[in-house]
Coordinates of all heavy atoms in Angstrom, one line a residue:
M1 N 37.8 -41.9 20.6 CA 39.3 -42.1 20.9 C 39.7 -43.5 20.6 O 40.7 -43.8 19.8 CB 39.5 -41.8 22.3 CG 41.0 -41.7 22.7 SD 41.5 -39.9 22.9 CE 43.0 -40.1 23.6
I2 N 38.9 -44.5 21.1 CA 39.3 -45.9 20.8 C 39.1 -46.3 19.4 O 39.9 -47.0 18.8 CB 38.3 -46.9 21.6 CG1 38.4 -46.6 23.2 CG2 38.5 -48.3 21.3 CD1 39.7 -47.0 23.8
A3 N 38.0 -45.8 18.7 CA 37.8 -46.0 17.3 C 38.9 -45.4 16.5 O 39.4 -46.1 15.6 CB 36.4 -45.5 16.9
D4 N 39.3 -44.2 16.8 CA 40.4 -43.5 16.0 C 41.6 -44.4 16.2 O 42.4 -44.6 15.3 CB 40.6 -42.1 16.6 CG 39.5 -41.2 16.2 OD1 38.7 -41.6 15.4 OD2 39.5 -40.0 16.7
G5 N 41.9 -44.8 17.5 CA 43.2 -45.5 17.8 C 43.2 -46.8 17.0 O 44.3 -47.2 16.6
R6 N 42.1 -47.5 16.9 CA 42.0 -48.8 16.2 C 42.4 -48.6 14.7 O 43.1 -49.4 14.2 CB 40.6 -49.3 16.4 CG 40.4 -50.8 15.9 CD 39.0 -51.2 16.1 NE 38.5 -51.2 17.4 CZ 38.7 -52.1 18.3 NH1 39.4 -53.2 18.0 NH2 38.2 -52.1 19.5
Q7 N 41.9 -47.5 14.2 CA 42.2 -47.2 12.7 C 43.7 -46.9 12.6 O 44.3 -47.4 11.6 CB 41.3 -46.1 12.2 CG 41.5 -45.9 10.7 CD 41.1 -47.1 9.9 OE1 40.0 -47.6 10.1 NE2 41.9 -47.5 9.0
I8 N 44.2 -46.1 13.5 CA 45.6 -45.7 13.4 C 46.5 -46.9 13.6 O 47.5 -47.1 12.9 CB 46.0 -44.7 14.5 CG1 45.2 -43.3 14.2 CG2 47.5 -44.4 14.5 CD1 45.2 -42.4 15.4
Y9 N 46.1 -47.8 14.5 CA 46.8 -49.0 14.7 C 46.9 -49.9 13.4 O 48.0 -50.3 13.0 CB 46.2 -49.9 15.9 CG 47.1 -51.1 16.1 CD1 48.2 -51.1 16.9 CD2 46.7 -52.3 15.5 CE1 48.9 -52.3 17.1 CE2 47.5 -53.4 15.6 CZ 48.6 -53.4 16.4 OH 49.4 -54.6 16.5
A10 N 45.7 -50.0 12.8 CA 45.7 -50.8 11.6 C 46.6 -50.2 10.5 O 47.3 -50.9 9.7 CB 44.2 -50.9 11.1
D11 N 46.6 -48.9 10.4 CA 47.4 -48.2 9.3 C 48.9 -48.2 9.6 O 49.7 -48.3 8.8 CB 46.9 -46.7 9.2 CG 45.5 -46.6 8.7 OD1 45.0 -47.6 8.1 OD2 44.9 -45.5 8.8
Q12 N 49.2 -47.9 10.9 CA 50.6 -47.6 11.2 C 51.4 -48.7 11.9 O 52.6 -48.7 12.0 CB 50.7 -46.4 12.1 CG 50.0 -45.2 11.5 CD 50.8 -44.4 10.5 OE1 52.0 -44.8 10.2 NE2 50.3 -43.3 9.9
C13 N 50.7 -49.6 12.7 CA 51.4 -50.5 13.6 C 51.2 -51.9 13.3 O 52.1 -52.8 13.6 CB 50.8 -50.3 15.0 SG 50.5 -48.5 15.4
A14 N 50.1 -52.3 12.7 CA 49.7 -53.8 12.5 C 50.7 -54.5 11.6 O 51.0 -55.7 11.8 CB 48.3 -53.9 11.9
A15 N 51.4 -53.8 10.7 CA 52.3 -54.5 9.8 C 53.4 -55.2 10.6 O 53.9 -56.3 10.2 CB 52.9 -53.5 8.8
C16 N 53.8 -54.6 11.7 CA 54.9 -55.2 12.5 C 54.3 -55.8 13.7 O 54.7 -57.0 14.1 CB 55.9 -54.1 13.0 SG 56.9 -53.4 11.6
H17 N 53.4 -55.2 14.4 CA 52.9 -55.8 15.7 C 51.7 -56.7 15.5 O 51.3 -57.3 16.5 CB 52.5 -54.6 16.6 CG 53.6 -53.9 17.2 ND1 54.5 -54.4 18.2 CD2 54.2 -52.7 16.8 CE1 55.4 -53.5 18.4 NE2 55.3 -52.5 17.6
G18 N 51.2 -56.9 14.3 CA 50.2 -57.9 14.0 C 48.8 -57.3 14.1 O 48.5 -56.5 14.9
V19 N 47.9 -57.8 13.2 CA 46.5 -57.3 13.2 C 45.8 -57.5 14.5 O 44.9 -56.7 14.9 CB 45.7 -57.8 12.0 CG1 46.1 -57.1 10.7 CG2 45.8 -59.3 11.8
D20 N 46.2 -58.6 15.2 CA 45.5 -58.9 16.5 C 46.4 -58.6 17.6 O 46.3 -59.3 18.7 CB 44.9 -60.3 16.5 CG 43.8 -60.5 15.5 OD1 42.9 -59.7 15.5 OD2 43.7 -61.6 14.9
L21 N 47.3 -57.8 17.5 CA 48.3 -57.4 18.6 C 49.3 -58.5 18.9 O 49.9 -58.5 19.9 CB 47.6 -57.0 19.8 CG 46.5 -55.9 19.8 CD1 45.8 -55.8 21.2 CD2 47.0 -54.6 19.4
E22 N 49.4 -59.5 18.0 CA 50.1 -60.8 18.3 C 51.6 -60.7 18.2 O 52.3 -61.6 18.6 CB 49.5 -62.0 17.5 CG 50.0 -62.0 16.1 CD 49.0 -61.2 15.1 OE1 48.3 -60.3 15.6 OE2 49.1 -61.4 13.9
G23 N 52.1 -59.6 17.6 CA 53.5 -59.4 17.5 C 54.1 -60.3 16.3 O 53.3 -61.0 15.6
Q24 N 55.4 -60.3 16.2 CA 56.0 -61.1 15.1 C 56.3 -62.5 15.6 O 56.5 -62.7 16.8 CB 57.3 -60.4 14.6 CG 57.0 -59.1 13.8 CD 58.2 -58.3 13.4 OE1 59.2 -58.2 14.1 NE2 58.1 -57.7 12.2
P25 N 56.3 -63.5 14.7 CA 56.6 -64.8 15.2 C 58.0 -64.9 15.9 O 58.9 -64.2 15.5 CB 56.7 -65.6 13.8 CG 56.1 -64.8 12.8 CD 56.2 -63.3 13.3
E26 N 58.1 -65.8 16.8 CA 59.4 -66.0 17.5 C 59.9 -64.7 18.1 O 61.1 -64.4 18.1 CB 60.5 -66.6 16.6 CG 60.1 -67.8 15.9 CD 60.3 -69.1 16.7 OE1 61.0 -69.0 17.7 OE2 59.8 -70.2 16.3
W27 N 59.0 -63.8 18.6 CA 59.4 -62.5 19.0 C 60.4 -62.5 20.2 O 61.1 -61.4 20.4 CB 58.2 -61.6 19.3 CG 57.4 -62.1 20.5 CD1 56.4 -63.0 20.4 CD2 57.5 -61.7 21.8 NE1 55.9 -63.2 21.7 CE2 56.5 -62.4 22.6 CE3 58.3 -60.7 22.5 CZ2 56.4 -62.2 23.9 CZ3 58.2 -60.6 23.8 CH2 57.2 -61.3 24.5
R28 N 60.5 -63.6 20.9 CA 61.5 -63.5 22.0 C 62.9 -63.8 21.5 O 63.8 -63.6 22.2 CB 61.1 -64.6 23.0 CG 59.9 -64.2 23.9 CD 59.8 -65.2 25.0 NE 58.6 -64.9 25.9 CZ 57.4 -65.2 25.6 NH1 57.1 -65.8 24.5 NH2 56.4 -64.8 26.4
R29 N 63.0 -64.3 20.2 CA 64.4 -64.7 19.8 C 64.9 -63.7 18.7 O 64.3 -63.5 17.7 CB 64.2 -66.1 19.1 CG 65.6 -66.7 18.8 CD 65.5 -68.1 18.3 NE 64.6 -69.0 19.0 CZ 63.9 -69.9 18.5 NH1 64.0 -70.2 17.2 NH2 63.1 -70.7 19.3
P30 N 65.9 -63.0 19.1 CA 66.5 -62.0 18.1 C 67.0 -62.7 16.8 O 67.6 -63.8 16.9 CB 67.7 -61.4 18.8 CG 67.5 -61.7 20.3 CD 66.7 -63.0 20.3
P31 N 66.6 -62.2 15.7 CA 67.1 -62.8 14.4 C 68.6 -62.5 14.2 O 69.2 -61.7 15.1 CB 66.3 -62.1 13.4 CG 65.9 -60.8 14.0 CD 65.8 -61.1 15.5
P32 N 69.3 -63.0 13.2 CA 70.7 -62.7 13.0 C 71.1 -61.2 13.0 O 72.2 -60.9 13.4 CB 71.0 -63.4 11.7 CG 69.9 -64.4 11.5 CD 68.7 -63.8 12.2
S33 N 70.1 -60.4 12.7 CA 70.5 -58.9 12.7 C 70.7 -58.4 14.1 O 71.3 -57.4 14.3 CB 69.3 -58.1 12.1 OG 68.2 -58.1 13.0
G34 N 70.3 -59.2 15.1 CA 70.4 -58.8 16.5 C 69.4 -57.9 17.0 O 69.2 -57.6 18.1
R35 N 68.6 -57.4 16.0 CA 67.5 -56.4 16.4 C 66.3 -57.3 16.8 O 65.9 -58.2 16.2 CB 67.1 -55.5 15.3 CG 68.2 -54.6 14.9 CD 67.7 -53.7 13.8 NE 68.8 -52.7 13.4 CZ 68.5 -51.5 12.9 NH1 67.2 -51.2 12.7 NH2 69.4 -50.8 12.5
L36 N 65.7 -56.8 17.9 CA 64.5 -57.6 18.4 C 63.3 -57.5 17.5 O 63.0 -56.4 16.9 CB 64.1 -57.1 19.8 CG 65.1 -57.3 20.9 CD1 64.7 -56.6 22.2 CD2 65.2 -58.8 21.2
P37 N 62.6 -58.6 17.3 CA 61.3 -58.5 16.6 C 60.3 -57.7 17.3 O 60.4 -57.4 18.5 CB 60.9 -60.0 16.5 CG 62.0 -60.8 16.9 CD 62.9 -59.9 17.8
A38 N 59.2 -57.4 16.6 CA 58.1 -56.6 17.3 C 57.3 -57.4 18.3 O 56.8 -58.5 17.9 CB 57.1 -56.0 16.3
P39 N 57.3 -57.1 19.6 CA 56.6 -57.9 20.6 C 55.1 -57.7 20.4 O 54.6 -56.7 19.9 CB 57.1 -57.3 21.9 CG 57.3 -55.9 21.6 CD 57.9 -55.8 20.1
P40 N 54.3 -58.7 20.9 CA 52.8 -58.5 21.0 C 52.5 -57.4 21.9 O 53.2 -57.1 22.9 CB 52.3 -59.9 21.4 CG 53.5 -60.5 22.1 CD 54.7 -59.9 21.6
H41 N 51.3 -56.8 21.7 CA 50.8 -55.8 22.7 C 49.6 -56.4 23.4 O 48.9 -55.7 24.1 CB 50.3 -54.6 21.9 CG 51.4 -53.8 21.3 ND1 52.6 -53.5 21.9 CD2 51.5 -53.2 20.1 CE1 53.4 -52.7 21.1 NE2 52.8 -52.6 20.0
D42 N 49.4 -57.7 23.3 CA 48.3 -58.3 24.1 C 48.9 -58.8 25.4 O 50.1 -58.5 25.8 CB 47.6 -59.5 23.3 CG 48.6 -60.6 23.0 OD1 49.7 -60.7 23.6 OD2 48.2 -61.4 22.1
E43 N 48.2 -59.6 26.2 CA 48.6 -59.9 27.5 C 49.8 -60.8 27.6 O 50.4 -61.0 28.6 CB 47.5 -60.5 28.4 CG 46.9 -61.9 27.9 CD 46.0 -61.8 26.7 OE1 45.8 -60.7 26.2 OE2 45.6 -62.8 26.2
S44 N 50.1 -61.4 26.4 CA 51.3 -62.4 26.4 C 52.6 -61.6 26.2 O 53.7 -62.2 26.4 CB 51.2 -63.4 25.2 OG 51.4 -62.7 24.0
G45 N 52.6 -60.3 25.9 CA 53.8 -59.5 25.8 C 54.1 -58.8 27.1 O 53.6 -59.1 28.2
H46 N 54.9 -57.7 27.0 CA 55.3 -57.0 28.1 C 55.0 -55.5 28.1 O 55.4 -54.7 28.9 CB 56.8 -57.2 28.5 CG 57.7 -57.1 27.3 ND1 57.8 -56.0 26.4 CD2 58.5 -58.0 26.7 CE1 58.7 -56.3 25.5 NE2 59.1 -57.5 25.6
T47 N 54.2 -55.2 27.0 CA 53.9 -53.7 26.8 C 53.2 -53.2 28.0 O 53.4 -52.1 28.5 CB 53.0 -53.6 25.6 OG1 53.7 -54.1 24.5 CG2 52.8 -52.1 25.3
W48 N 52.2 -54.1 28.5 CA 51.4 -53.6 29.7 C 52.2 -53.4 31.0 O 51.7 -52.9 31.9 CB 50.2 -54.6 29.9 CG 50.7 -56.0 30.2 CD1 51.0 -57.0 29.3 CD2 50.8 -56.6 31.5 NE1 51.4 -58.2 30.0 CE2 51.3 -57.9 31.3 CE3 50.7 -56.2 32.8 CZ2 51.6 -58.8 32.4 CZ3 50.9 -57.0 33.9 CH2 51.4 -58.3 33.6
H49 N 53.5 -53.9 31.0 CA 54.3 -53.7 32.2 C 54.7 -52.3 32.3 O 55.2 -51.8 33.4 CB 55.5 -54.6 32.1 CG 55.4 -56.1 32.2 ND1 56.0 -56.8 33.3 CD2 54.7 -56.9 31.5 CE1 55.6 -58.1 33.1 NE2 54.9 -58.2 32.0
H50 N 54.8 -51.6 31.2 CA 55.4 -50.2 31.1 C 54.4 -49.1 31.4 O 53.2 -49.2 31.0 CB 56.1 -50.0 29.8 CG 57.0 -51.1 29.4 ND1 58.1 -51.4 30.1 CD2 57.1 -51.8 28.3 CE1 58.8 -52.3 29.5 NE2 58.2 -52.6 28.4
P51 N 54.8 -48.1 32.1 CA 53.9 -47.0 32.4 C 53.5 -46.2 31.1 O 54.2 -46.2 30.1 CB 54.7 -46.1 33.4 CG 56.1 -46.6 33.4 CD 56.1 -47.9 32.8
D52 N 52.3 -45.7 31.1 CA 51.8 -45.0 29.9 C 52.8 -43.9 29.4 O 52.9 -43.8 28.2 CB 50.5 -44.3 30.3 CG 49.3 -45.2 30.6 OD1 49.5 -46.4 30.4 OD2 48.3 -44.8 31.0
E53 N 53.4 -43.2 30.3 CA 54.3 -42.1 29.8 C 55.5 -42.7 29.0 O 55.9 -42.1 28.1 CB 54.7 -41.3 31.0 CG 54.9 -39.8 30.6 CD 53.9 -39.2 29.7 OE1 52.7 -39.4 29.9 OE2 54.4 -38.5 28.7
L54 N 56.0 -43.9 29.4 CA 57.1 -44.5 28.8 C 56.6 -45.0 27.4 O 57.3 -44.7 26.3 CB 57.7 -45.6 29.5 CG 58.8 -46.4 28.8 CD1 60.0 -45.5 28.6 CD2 59.3 -47.6 29.6
L55 N 55.5 -45.6 27.3 CA 54.9 -46.1 26.0 C 54.7 -44.9 25.1 O 55.1 -45.0 23.9 CB 53.6 -46.8 26.2 CG 53.6 -48.1 27.1 CD1 52.3 -48.7 27.3 CD2 54.6 -49.1 26.5
F56 N 54.2 -43.8 25.6 CA 54.1 -42.6 24.8 C 55.4 -42.1 24.2 O 55.5 -41.9 22.9 CB 53.5 -41.5 25.6 CG 53.3 -40.2 24.9 CD1 52.1 -40.0 24.1 CD2 54.2 -39.2 24.9 CE1 51.9 -38.8 23.4 CE2 54.1 -38.0 24.2 CZ 52.9 -37.8 23.4
R57 N 56.4 -42.1 25.0 CA 57.7 -41.7 24.5 C 58.3 -42.6 23.5 O 59.0 -42.3 22.5 CB 58.7 -41.4 25.7 CG 58.3 -40.2 26.5 CD 59.3 -39.9 27.6 NE 60.7 -39.9 27.1 CZ 61.7 -40.3 27.7 NH1 61.6 -40.9 28.9 NH2 62.9 -40.2 27.2
I58 N 58.1 -44.0 23.7 CA 58.6 -44.9 22.8 C 58.0 -44.7 21.4 O 58.7 -44.6 20.4 CB 58.3 -46.4 23.3 CG1 59.2 -46.8 24.4 CG2 58.5 -47.4 22.1 CD1 58.8 -48.1 25.1
V59 N 56.7 -44.5 21.4 CA 56.0 -44.4 20.1 C 56.4 -43.0 19.5 O 56.5 -42.9 18.3 CB 54.4 -44.5 20.3 CG1 53.7 -44.3 18.9 CG2 54.1 -45.9 20.8
K60 N 56.5 -42.0 20.3 CA 56.9 -40.7 19.7 C 58.3 -40.6 19.2 O 58.6 -40.1 18.2 CB 56.6 -39.6 20.7 CG 56.8 -38.2 20.2 CD 56.1 -37.2 21.0 CE 56.4 -35.8 20.4 NZ 55.6 -34.7 21.0
E61 N 59.2 -41.1 20.1 CA 60.7 -40.9 19.9 C 61.4 -42.1 19.3 O 62.6 -41.9 18.9 CB 61.3 -40.4 21.2 CG 60.7 -39.1 21.7 CD 61.1 -38.8 23.2 OE1 62.2 -39.2 23.6 OE2 60.2 -38.3 23.9
S62 N 60.9 -43.2 19.3 CA 61.5 -44.5 18.9 C 62.2 -45.2 20.0 O 62.7 -44.5 21.0 CB 62.5 -44.3 17.7 OG 63.8 -43.9 18.3
T63 N 62.3 -46.5 19.9 CA 62.9 -47.3 21.0 C 64.4 -46.9 21.1 O 64.9 -46.7 22.2 CB 62.8 -48.8 20.8 OG1 61.4 -49.1 20.9 CG2 63.5 -49.6 21.8
A64 N 65.1 -46.7 20.0 CA 66.5 -46.5 20.0 C 66.8 -45.2 20.8 O 67.8 -45.2 21.6 CB 67.1 -46.4 18.6
S65 N 66.0 -44.2 20.6 CA 66.3 -42.9 21.3 C 66.0 -43.0 22.8 O 66.6 -42.3 23.5 CB 65.6 -41.8 20.6 OG 64.3 -41.6 21.1
I66 N 65.1 -43.8 23.1 CA 64.8 -44.0 24.6 C 65.8 -44.8 25.3 O 66.3 -44.4 26.4 CB 63.4 -44.7 24.8 CG1 62.3 -43.9 24.1 CG2 63.1 -44.9 26.3 CD1 62.1 -42.5 24.6
V67 N 66.3 -45.9 24.6 CA 67.3 -46.7 25.3 C 68.6 -46.0 25.2 O 69.4 -46.1 26.2 CB 67.4 -48.1 24.5 CG1 68.5 -48.9 25.1 CG2 66.1 -48.8 24.6
G68 N 69.0 -45.4 24.1 CA 70.3 -44.7 24.0 C 71.5 -45.6 23.9 O 71.3 -46.8 23.7
G69 N 72.6 -45.0 24.0 CA 73.9 -45.8 24.0 C 74.1 -46.5 22.7 O 74.7 -47.6 22.7
G70 N 73.6 -46.0 21.6 CA 73.8 -46.7 20.3 C 73.0 -47.9 20.1 O 73.2 -48.6 19.1
Y71 N 71.9 -48.1 20.9 CA 71.0 -49.2 20.8 C 70.3 -49.2 19.4 O 69.9 -48.1 19.0 CB 70.0 -49.3 21.9 CG 69.0 -50.4 21.9 CD1 69.4 -51.7 22.3 CD2 67.7 -50.2 21.5 CE1 68.5 -52.8 22.2 CE2 66.8 -51.3 21.4 CZ 67.2 -52.5 21.8 OH 66.3 -53.6 21.8
E72 N 70.3 -50.3 18.7 CA 69.6 -50.3 17.4 C 68.3 -51.0 17.5 O 68.2 -52.1 18.1 CB 70.5 -51.0 16.4 CG 71.7 -50.2 16.0 CD 72.5 -50.8 14.9 OE1 72.1 -51.7 14.2 OE2 73.7 -50.4 14.7
S73 N 67.2 -50.5 16.9 CA 65.9 -51.0 17.0 C 65.1 -50.7 15.8 O 65.3 -49.7 15.1 CB 65.2 -50.4 18.2 OG 63.8 -50.8 18.2
D74 N 64.2 -51.7 15.4 CA 63.3 -51.5 14.3 C 62.1 -50.7 14.6 O 61.2 -50.4 13.8 CB 62.9 -52.8 13.6 CG 64.1 -53.4 12.9 OD1 65.0 -52.7 12.5 OD2 64.1 -54.7 12.8
M75 N 61.9 -50.3 15.9 CA 60.7 -49.6 16.3 C 60.9 -48.1 16.0 O 61.7 -47.4 16.6 CB 60.4 -49.8 17.8 CG 59.3 -48.9 18.4 SD 57.7 -49.2 17.6 CE 56.9 -47.7 18.1
P76 N 60.2 -47.6 14.9 CA 60.4 -46.2 14.6 C 59.7 -45.2 15.5 O 58.9 -45.6 16.3 CB 59.7 -46.1 13.2 CG 58.7 -47.2 13.2 CD 59.2 -48.3 14.1
G77 N 60.2 -44.0 15.5 CA 59.5 -42.9 16.2 C 58.4 -42.3 15.3 O 58.7 -42.2 14.1
F78 N 57.3 -41.9 15.8 CA 56.2 -41.4 15.0 C 56.0 -39.9 15.1 O 55.0 -39.3 14.7 CB 54.9 -42.2 15.2 CG 54.9 -43.6 14.7 CD1 55.5 -44.6 15.4 CD2 54.5 -43.8 13.4 CE1 55.5 -45.9 14.9 CE2 54.5 -45.1 12.9 CZ 55.0 -46.1 13.7
A79 N 57.0 -39.2 15.8 CA 56.9 -37.7 15.8 C 56.9 -37.2 14.4 O 57.7 -37.7 13.6 CB 58.1 -37.2 16.6
G80 N 56.0 -36.3 14.0 CA 56.0 -35.8 12.7 C 55.0 -36.6 11.8 O 54.6 -36.1 10.8
V81 N 54.7 -37.8 12.2 CA 53.7 -38.7 11.5 C 52.4 -38.6 12.2 O 51.4 -38.5 11.6 CB 54.2 -40.1 11.4 CG1 53.2 -41.0 10.7 CG2 55.6 -40.2 10.7
M82 N 52.5 -38.7 13.6 CA 51.2 -38.7 14.3 C 51.3 -37.6 15.4 O 52.4 -37.3 15.9 CB 51.1 -40.0 15.1 CG 50.8 -41.2 14.2 SD 51.2 -42.8 15.0 CE 50.1 -42.7 16.5
S83 N 50.1 -37.0 15.6 CA 50.1 -35.9 16.7 C 50.1 -36.6 18.0 O 49.9 -37.8 18.1 CB 48.8 -35.1 16.5 OG 47.7 -36.0 16.8
D84 N 50.3 -35.8 19.1 CA 50.3 -36.4 20.5 C 49.0 -37.0 20.8 O 48.9 -38.1 21.4 CB 50.7 -35.3 21.5 CG 52.1 -34.8 21.5 OD1 52.9 -35.4 20.6 OD2 52.5 -34.0 22.3
A85 N 47.9 -36.4 20.3 CA 46.6 -36.9 20.5 C 46.4 -38.3 19.8 O 45.8 -39.2 20.4 CB 45.5 -36.0 20.1
E86 N 47.0 -38.4 18.6 CA 46.8 -39.7 17.9 C 47.7 -40.8 18.6 O 47.3 -42.0 18.6 CB 47.3 -39.5 16.4 CG 46.3 -38.7 15.6 CD 46.9 -38.3 14.3 OE1 48.1 -38.0 14.1 OE2 46.0 -38.2 13.3
I87 N 48.8 -40.4 19.1 CA 49.6 -41.4 19.8 C 48.9 -41.9 21.0 O 48.8 -43.1 21.3 CB 51.0 -40.8 20.2 CG1 51.9 -40.6 19.0 CG2 51.8 -41.7 21.2 CD1 53.1 -39.8 19.2
R88 N 48.2 -40.9 21.7 CA 47.4 -41.4 22.9 C 46.3 -42.2 22.5 O 45.9 -43.2 23.2 CB 47.0 -40.1 23.8 CG 48.1 -39.4 24.4 CD 47.7 -38.5 25.5 NE 48.9 -37.6 25.9 CZ 49.9 -37.9 26.6 NH1 50.0 -39.2 27.0 NH2 50.9 -37.1 26.8
A89 N 45.6 -41.9 21.4 CA 44.5 -42.7 20.9 C 44.9 -44.2 20.5 O 44.3 -45.1 20.9 CB 43.9 -42.0 19.7
V90 N 46.1 -44.3 19.9 CA 46.5 -45.6 19.5 C 46.9 -46.4 20.7 O 46.6 -47.7 20.8 CB 47.6 -45.6 18.4 CG1 48.9 -45.3 19.0 CG2 47.7 -46.9 17.7
L91 N 47.5 -45.8 21.7 CA 47.8 -46.5 23.0 C 46.5 -46.9 23.7 O 46.4 -48.1 24.2 CB 48.7 -45.7 23.8 CG 50.1 -45.5 23.4 CD1 50.9 -44.5 24.2 CD2 50.9 -46.8 23.4
D92 N 45.5 -46.1 23.7 CA 44.2 -46.4 24.4 C 43.7 -47.6 23.7 O 43.2 -48.5 24.4 CB 43.3 -45.2 24.3 CG 43.6 -44.2 25.4 OD1 44.5 -44.4 26.2 OD2 42.9 -43.2 25.4
Ligands
HEC101 C1 58.7 -51.4 11.3 C2 58.1 -52.2 12.4 C3 57.3 -51.5 13.4 C4 56.2 -50.6 13.3 C5 55.6 -50.0 12.0 C6 55.8 -50.3 14.7 N1 56.6 -50.9 15.6 FE1 56.4 -50.8 17.6 N2 58.1 -52.1 17.8 C7 58.7 -52.6 16.8 C8 59.8 -53.4 17.3 C9 60.8 -54.2 16.5 C10 59.8 -53.2 18.7 C11 60.8 -53.8 19.7 C12 62.0 -52.8 19.8 C13 63.1 -53.2 20.7 O1 62.8 -53.6 21.8 O2 64.2 -53.0 20.3 C14 58.6 -52.4 19.0 C15 58.3 -52.0 20.3 C16 57.2 -51.2 20.5 C17 56.8 -50.9 21.9 C18 57.4 -51.2 23.2 C19 56.7 -52.5 23.6 C20 57.3 -53.2 24.8 O3 56.6 -54.2 25.2 O4 58.4 -52.9 25.3 C21 55.6 -50.2 21.7 C22 54.7 -49.5 22.8 C23 55.3 -50.0 20.3 N3 56.3 -50.7 19.6 C24 54.2 -49.4 19.8 C25 54.0 -49.2 18.4 C26 52.9 -48.5 17.9 C27 51.8 -47.8 18.8 C28 53.1 -48.5 16.6 C29 52.2 -47.8 15.5 C30 52.0 -46.3 15.8 C31 54.3 -49.2 16.3 N4 54.8 -49.7 17.4 C32 54.7 -49.5 15.0 C33 58.5 -52.5 15.4 C34 57.5 -51.7 14.9

């Protein structure tokens, strides 16, 4: 599960969240587009503050659909790209 998740992360997530989970530079400061940069997934970010079920829904459905209200986000949903088991593997 961990090995599968590591590979999925490298293929699907690292381009934005960084090969070492470090996130995008200046991730706390929104660029002129107003959309937030990709946060790190290591201990310096806030991913670990969120319950597993919420993280699962963010990855499956996208941040914009979870926040709602016309919120715009560069975090895509991976429903149709990844199975539920693959989403759980990458989170693990
Ligand atoms: C195209 C760039 C991009 C890709 C690819 C991407 N993300 Fe994201 N991700 C983002 C951005 C940007 C945010 C912040 C969104 C916001 O808050 O508006 C985010 C937020 C998140 C969050 C919420 C983190 C938090 O601390 O609140 C999780 C979890 C997440 N991404 C997981 C993943 C996973 C797992 C993958 C790969 C399957 C992935 N992301 C691929 C751009 C991306």
Side-chain angles (χ1 to χ4, degrees):
M1 192 105 168
I2 300 289
D4 287 353
R6 192 181 298 278
Q7 187 60 51
I8 295 166
Y9 181 86
D11 292 344
Q12 305 279 1
C13 321
C16 294
H17 289 282
V19 283
D20 288 321
L21 310 174
E22 72 274 22
Q24 289 176 323
E26 305 276 350
W27 64 274
R28 286 189 181 81
R29 190 176 312 148
S33 71
R35 295 182 180 209
L36 290 174
H41 292 315
D42 62 16
E43 68 282 359
S44 71
H46 42 61
T47 307
W48 61 275
H49 292 239
H50 304 305
D52 290 353
E53 211 41 47
L54 177 63
L55 297 177
F56 178 83
R57 289 184 53 216
I58 288 173
V59 177
K60 184 162 181 173
E61 299 166 32
S62 81
T63 296
S65 86
I66 300 300
V67 176
Y71 181 76
E72 292 185 13
S73 171
D74 289 334
M75 173 60 197
F78 288 85
V81 179
M82 289 163 58
S83 68
D84 287 4
E86 287 171 329
I87 293 173
R88 293 199 193 282
V90 77
L91 289 171
D92 280 358

